[in-house]
Structure formats: structure tokens, C-alpha cells
């Protein structure tokens, strides 16, 4: 059985404990006890979160775990020497070390991120880079894996991190099953931006939201105004007018942004030729995708692909 240590401290963010649920669901999906989850703290006993919710914990002892994961906090504060000492011991004795959200600051204080790529909540990323210049902070990533050290962005990105950990252990089907039970899309890739084209649109009505959700899940299909209007159960004219009113964009521009976002993720993963990326994300040909990338990023897909390769080597 894989022993999981979730590390908390006074003022931790209780949402990060969704990690415990992800591992619990993994046991259910695998139909066997794969993970043994322990909630840990320096002093043991009850620990109070930033919201005032108190959780029962075990005192630091044996540092040997399969995975030790540090929770984050709403406000970043210096860690205690005891916490940092335990994490260093656990790093040496365990298979994997991870953090959710600003838990990366705790790993950074312990020196566990020196020379590594890491991420954290976007609002704290630049501060982290300034405080810890030895870390290669990538502020616009959902999660990053650098050897056996995993870090994630803030809040719900911890779910993506846990799903990725579980997928590495048990396979993609188990991970998908858990995502369905958590009622989330199957995990976002690590290279995906913390910001989403859908979040920027923020439609107000259910009909426009439904059309956009359909578009994101069907990028390879015809996503003309007529087809999206049919999904929204509106006439093309009504749909175009409502869409622009609610999002500030034309349907064509919004679909292009969704396709560019999906293409950028595939390119950042570094595993797909440009023509395959264009086809999989609904661009009719690589040239059309190139023009869309120039409008969105000011550089072609090939330049972004080269940069992604350099990051992987660094």
C-alpha cells in the first residue's frame, strides 16, 4: 500500500484537503486499498485552518512515505524549523514530494526546489521568484513535475495534481473515473495555463454556456454560428447577438481562442507535430493555425514549440 502524508500547519487552506478525497476515490475505483492517507502536523492533534475548521492530525514521526504533500495557505508566512526539518527528512526517505498552491513556498524554504522548475498560485508566483531566485518559477502552469518533485498552482489545481499522481500510479482509466466522481473535467495537463479562455468569456446565460462547453469538447467539429446556435436552441441571428452581448466577442473569435488555447497545451507537451496539433484542435490547416497564433501570441507555433523543448531540457 502507498502511504500518503498530507502536511498541514496552522492557517492552512482547507480546500487543499480535496487531495484526501482523490486518494480515497482511487481506492474505491481500484477496488482495493492502494493508498493509506495520513494527515500530519508538527505537533499533532487539532490544527486550525484559515477558515477556522479544525482537523485532527498525527505528529511528525517516521518520514518514509510514498508521497509527502504540503498544503498551502491563504497568507504565506515563514515555516517553523521543525516543519522544514521534517520535509527534508521526508524528501530523502520518500518516493515523491509535492505541494499544492502556496505549499510550494514551504518546499522552497526547505531548499527542496532549488535548481528546479516549480509553480504556485499565480498571485504569489512573482513573489516566490523574488524570494527564491534559485527556483525556475513558471507562473502560468497548472502543475509541474521536475523529477520526483511535483508542484501545483492554486486552489482547484490541486485536483489536477492529484489526478496526475494517481494516473502515474494506476493509469488513465482510474484517473478518469475519479474525475467523473469529483464532477470535474478529466485533469488538465501540467502545461495548461492557469487562465482559461472560457473563464475570460464569462457568459451569463445557460444557453451560451452550453454552446461554449460543447465547443470546447468538440474542437474538431464544425463550430459555425449555425451549429452553435442549434446547440443553444436559438436562431443564428439570436445566438450571434446574445453571444456578443454576453461575452464581448464574436462567436468566431471565441472559437479561435479556444482552439489556440488547446493547441498551445498540445505544443507545450512537446509530443505532437504541428500538423497533428492543427488537425486535433480544429484548424483546417497549419497555416491557419499559424496566423491565429500570431494574433494571439505574436509568434508562430514553431517558436513556441522550440521554447517548450528548451524548458524541458533546462
Amino acid at each position: 500500500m502507498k502511504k500518503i502524508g498530507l502536511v498541514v500547519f496552522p492557517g492552512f487552506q482547507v480546500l487543499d484537503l480535496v487531495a484526501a478525497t482523490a486518494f480515497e476515490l482511487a481506492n474505491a475505483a481500484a477496488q482495493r486499498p492502494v493508498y493509506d492517507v495520513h494527515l500530519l502536523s508538527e505537533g499533532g492533534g487539532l490544527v486550525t485552518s484559515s477558515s477556522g475548521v479544525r482537523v485532527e492530525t498525527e505528529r511528525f514521526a517516521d518520514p518514509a512515505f510514498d508521497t509527502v504533500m504540503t498544503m498551502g495557505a491563504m497568507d504565506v508566512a515563514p515555516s517553523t524549523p521543525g516543519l522544514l526539518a521534517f520535509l527534508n527528512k521526508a524528501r530523502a526517505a520518500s518516493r515523491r514530494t509535492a505541494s499544492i498552491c502556496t505549499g510550494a513556498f514551504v518546499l522552497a524554504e526547505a531548499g527542496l526546489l532549488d535548481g528546479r522548475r516549480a509553480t504556485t498560485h499565480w498571485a504569489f508566483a512573482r513573489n516566490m521568484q523574488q524570494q527564491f531566485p534559485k527556483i525556475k518559477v513558471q507562473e502560468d502552469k497548472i502543475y509541474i513535475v521536475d523529477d520526483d518533485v511535483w508542484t501545483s498552482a492554486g486552489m482547484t489545481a490541486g485536483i489536477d495534481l492529484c489526478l496526475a499522481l494517481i494516473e502515474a500510479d494506476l493509469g488513465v482509466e482510474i484517473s478518469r473515473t475519479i474525475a467523473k466522481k469529483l464532477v470535474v473535467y478529466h485533469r488538465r495537463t501540467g502545461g495548461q495555463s492557469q487562465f482559461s479562455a472560457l473563464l475570460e468569456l464569462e457568459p451569463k446565460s445557460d444557453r451560451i454556456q452550453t454552446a461554449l462547453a460543447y465547443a470546447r469538447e468538440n474542437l474538431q467539429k464544425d463550430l459555425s454560428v449555425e451549429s452553435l446556435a442549434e446547440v443553444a436552441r436559438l436562431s443564428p441571428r439570436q445566438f450571434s447577438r446574445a453571444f456578443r452581448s454576453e461575452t464581448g466577442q464574436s462567436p468566431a473569435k471565441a472559437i479561435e481562442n479556444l482552439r489556440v488555447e488547446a493547441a498551445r497545451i498540445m505544443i507545450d507537451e512537446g509530443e505532437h507535430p504541428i500538423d497533428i496539433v492543427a488537425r486535433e484542435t480544429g484548424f483546417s490547416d497549419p497555416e491557419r493555425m499559424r496566423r491565429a497564433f500570431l494574433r494571439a501570441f505574436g509568434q508562430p507555433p514553431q517558436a513556441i514549440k522550440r521554447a517548450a523543448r528548451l524548458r524541458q531540457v533546462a
Side-chain angles (χ1 to χ4, degrees):
M1 196 181 307
K2 300 179 185 299
K3 191 177 176 185
I4 307 295
L6 304 182
V7 177
V8 301
F9 44 83
F12 77 95
Q13 170 51 247
V14 75
L15 178 63
D16 294 349
L17 292 184
V18 70
T21 299
F23 292 116
E24 175 189 2
L25 291 175
N27 287 338
Q31 298 184 331
R32 57 189 174 91
V34 179
Y35 297 107
D36 177 24
V37 179
H38 297 257
L39 205 55
L40 312 173
S41 71
E42 185 173 357
L46 290 173
V47 177
T48 305
S49 69
S50 58
S51 64
V53 173
R54 303 168 76 191
V55 296
E56 186 68 37
T57 66
E58 303 171 27
R59 184 190 299 270
F60 292 155
D62 182 1
F65 288 82
D66 175 83
T67 305
V68 172
M69 185 180 298
T70 304
M71 306 296 101
M74 297 291 284
D75 297 309
V76 176
S79 301
T80 65
L83 172 55
L84 301 180
F86 173 77
L87 288 174
N88 270 287
K89 292 176 183 177
R91 168 74 178 81
S94 304
R95 181 168 71 101
R96 299 182 297 205
T97 303
S99 65
I100 295 176
C101 194
T102 56
F105 278 80
V106 184
L107 298 188
E109 283 186 89
L112 303 184
L113 300 182
D114 288 355
R116 296 185 182 277
R117 294 178 297 114
T119 193
T120 188
H121 192 294
W122 63 267
F124 294 89
R126 294 187 181 179
N127 183 31
M128 184 175 176
Q129 186 65 84
Q130 291 171 354
Q131 278 190 247
F132 304 100
K134 293 181 181 179
I135 303 172
K136 301 171 186 176
V137 179
Q138 296 182 7
E139 64 182 83
D140 196 25
K141 301 299 178 187
I142 294 296
Y143 66 86
I144 288 176
V145 184
D146 191 317
D147 193 18
D148 57 352
V149 178
W150 303 53
T151 54
S152 85
M155 302 299 183
T156 59
I159 297 174
D160 299 284
L161 176 68
C162 291
L163 290 173
L165 288 164
I166 292 165
E167 182 175 318
D169 293 339
L170 302 177
V172 67
E173 291 305 319
I174 295 288
S175 177
R176 283 178 178 154
T177 298
I178 298 165
K180 289 178 182 178
K181 289 187 177 180
L182 288 170
V183 196
V184 297
Y185 287 106
H186 187 224
R187 70 166 179 84
R188 296 169 287 183
T189 62
Q192 185 167 341
S193 171
Q194 292 188 35
F195 304 97
S196 167
L198 280 184
L199 289 177
E200 291 175 359
L201 291 169
E202 295 185 343
K204 299 176 179 62
S205 70
D206 289 344
R207 290 187 176 189
I208 302 302
Q209 288 178 9
T210 298
L212 280 169
Y214 171 84
R216 185 171 68 174
E217 295 300 308
N218 296 276
L219 292 176
Q220 293 179 326
K221 295 183 179 180
D222 170 36
L223 297 177
S224 64
V225 168
E226 289 75 18
S227 64
L228 292 174
E230 184 176 348
V231 172
R233 298 184 180 181
L234 294 169
S235 72
R237 185 175 179 181
Q238 288 175 317
F239 176 77
S240 294
R241 186 164 53 242
F243 193 99
R244 187 179 287 277
S245 173
E246 292 187 27
T247 69
Q249 294 184 20
S250 69
K253 183 61 177 177
I255 297 307
E256 178 178 290
N257 288 341
L258 289 175
R259 284 176 166 149
V260 164
E261 181 177 75
R264 175 68 182 267
I265 293 166
M266 290 184 70
I267 289 172
D268 277 342
E269 290 175 345
E271 301 172 357
H272 312 282
I274 294 298
D275 59 334
I276 299 297
V277 173
R279 186 180 69 207
E280 291 294 315
T281 54
F283 290 101
S284 58
D285 57 69
E287 176 57 26
R288 180 164 293 185
M289 186 173 76
R290 188 187 74 84
R291 293 196 297 268
F293 266 62
L294 288 173
R295 286 190 289 270
F297 307 119
Q299 53 185 329
Q302 290 82 355
I304 292 174
K305 189 175 184 68
R306 286 193 296 270
R309 285 175 177 169
L310 289 174
R311 286 196 302 270
Q312 291 170 358
V313 171

